[in-house]
Amino acid sequence: MSKIKPAKGSPYARILGVGGYRPIRVVPNEVILETIDSSDEWIRSRSGIATRHWASPEETVAAMSVEASGKALADAGVAPEQIGAVIVSTVSHFKQTPAVATEIAHRIGAVKPAAFDISAGCAGFGYGLTLAKGMVVEGSAEYVLVIGVERLSDLTDLEDRATAFLFGDGAGAVVVGPSAEPAIGPTVWGSEGDKSDTIKQTVPWDEFRTNDTAEKFPAITQEGQAVFRWAVFEMAKVAQQALDAAGITADDLDVFIPHQANMRIIDSMVKTLKLPEHVTVARDVETTGNTSAASIPLAMERLLATGAAKSGDTALVIGFGAGLVYAATVVTLP
């Protein structure tokens, strides 16, 4: 018989607070058109994006995360000293080590929390949320800070007509803590590595370092049509599986918060899932662009701040992207 004592966590976990940070600079499509042969109409029709935010040198991955985290902590009514773990999802922090999570934890005033980064692209927030839920239920942390943050302007090829207009910068954070009732459903997550080349960094860091003829800094590139088809058809199935796992139907939903990749993808998923008209759909991509791991918490924060969604609403969240990876779950909004 095992001598290990059972965990003493909470029976359930929930999102207690959310915060977001968008860089001060707003970049309209007209700026993008200075480096690609296109039009505002074409960009809007292809992606639904009108503007995005780009960070200044001072708005680092850590700085944006600290701002978003402070808002999330205040919203949750949780003190920094109560945070037992900090999880950061990002692909745009350029220091391989140490994890930026350790710097963020120190700057917000957390006291010796577990702190680590994860790389799961646009599904990273869902991955972090799932890990946080497990920590709270298992008892290794009472409160967990989950951050999605990106400075994708650093990884954007402004001469690539297929991607130059897509990406933005920002940070979103949530505090996950104990709950007396289920408030974060089972996660449906996975990967399809055979499609990993459809979204990728153009040149590996080591090749860029050793290639004297490299003219461009590494950037993110993607096969747009392949990604679009995968997202629309396969991710709608994953979203439905998350509803099934939570024991609800589309009629029970109040809010749908998909990864803000592209307005056409969002609208197609709404149609495929046959979401009722009463369901509020996040379309933050129009003014924020694709912020990868930050897109879901940023969209969640905006819906709550504007009153488009309210505390206690039932929301389906799904992230999907490079890898190809995905994660979907049903949550109760803070």
Side-chain angles (χ1 to χ4, degrees):
M1 179 179 291
S2 174
K3 297 180 180 179
I4 299 174
K5 294 181 179 180
K8 294 182 179 180
S10 170
Y12 306 107
R14 69 180 299 122
I15 299 174
L16 299 172
V18 60
Y21 180 82
R22 293 171 173 81
I24 295 172
R25 184 187 177 193
V26 177
V27 180
N29 288 338
E30 286 72 21
V31 172
I32 307 298
L33 297 175
E34 294 174 2
T35 52
I36 61 171
D37 180 17
S38 187
S39 68
D40 178 65
E41 181 183 3
W42 186 87
I43 293 174
R44 289 175 185 257
S45 65
R46 296 279 293 182
S47 67
I49 299 172
T51 61
R52 72 285 293 146
H53 294 256
W54 283 355
S56 68
E58 294 76 24
E59 292 170 313
T60 63
V61 165
M64 292 191 292
S65 297
V66 168
E67 292 292 329
S69 298
K71 294 176 182 177
L73 288 165
D75 190 43
V78 172
E81 309 87 69
Q82 294 176 276
I83 295 296
V86 177
I87 303 171
V88 178
S89 177
T90 185
V91 300
S92 49
H93 176 59
F94 288 161
K95 285 186 179 179
Q96 196 73 36
T97 193
V100 72
T102 59
E103 177 185 349
I104 295 165
H106 173 68
R107 289 177 62 174
I108 66 171
V111 181
K112 297 184 179 180
F116 58 94
D117 300 348
I118 59 175
S119 177
C122 306
F125 175 75
Y127 276 50
L129 184 64
T130 302
L131 294 173
K133 172 188 173 182
M135 291 178 180
V136 172
V137 172
E138 187 269 340
S140 59
E142 185 176 10
Y143 298 99
V144 181
L145 181 63
V146 180
I147 303 165
V149 56
E150 302 292 2
R151 272 183 57 119
L152 294 181
S153 57
D154 292 334
L155 290 169
T156 299
D157 180 354
L158 294 178
E159 296 180 349
D160 181 359
R161 190 172 185 269
T163 61
F165 57 90
L166 286 175
F167 302 119
D169 303 335
V174 299
V175 175
V176 177
S179 174
E181 59 184 15
I184 301 176
T187 299
V188 177
W189 56 355
S191 64
E192 297 184 34
D194 59 314
K195 302 179 180 66
S196 60
D197 281 347
T198 56
I199 306 175
K200 63 181 181 180
Q201 184 171 307
T202 50
V203 181
W205 295 116
D206 58 345
E207 185 176 328
F208 177 76
R209 180 180 63 181
T210 58
N211 186 351
D212 294 335
T213 62
E215 296 180 357
K216 289 185 176 181
F217 191 74
I220 297 173
T221 184
Q222 69 177 30
E223 298 175 14
Q225 287 302 314
V227 173
F228 179 86
R229 289 192 297 270
W230 175 78
V232 169
F233 296 109
E234 297 303 320
M235 292 305 96
K237 297 176 186 177
V238 171
Q240 184 59 56
Q241 291 170 17
L243 291 175
D244 295 341
I248 67 172
T249 68
D251 290 336
D252 298 314
L253 279 180
D254 300 303
V255 184
F256 178 44
I257 311 177
H259 164 49
Q260 301 294 293
N262 179 304
M263 195 75 78
R264 292 169 61 210
I265 291 175
I266 294 170
D267 291 341
S268 295
M269 290 184 70
V270 169
K271 184 177 180 180
T272 302
L273 287 167
K274 299 179 180 178
L275 296 184
E277 290 187 5
H278 75 262
V279 176
T280 298
V281 179
R283 291 187 171 88
D284 192 45
V285 67
E286 180 180 4
T287 56
T288 306
N290 179 343
T291 56
S292 189
S295 78
I296 289 175
L298 278 174
M300 182 185 295
E301 186 256 359
R302 174 161 281 174
L303 288 175
L304 289 166
T306 60
K310 62 183 186 299
S311 174
D313 278 353
T314 300
L316 169 63
V317 299
I318 179 170
F320 45 86
L324 293 168
V325 296
Y326 55 87
T329 189
V330 175
V331 304
T332 301
L333 293 183

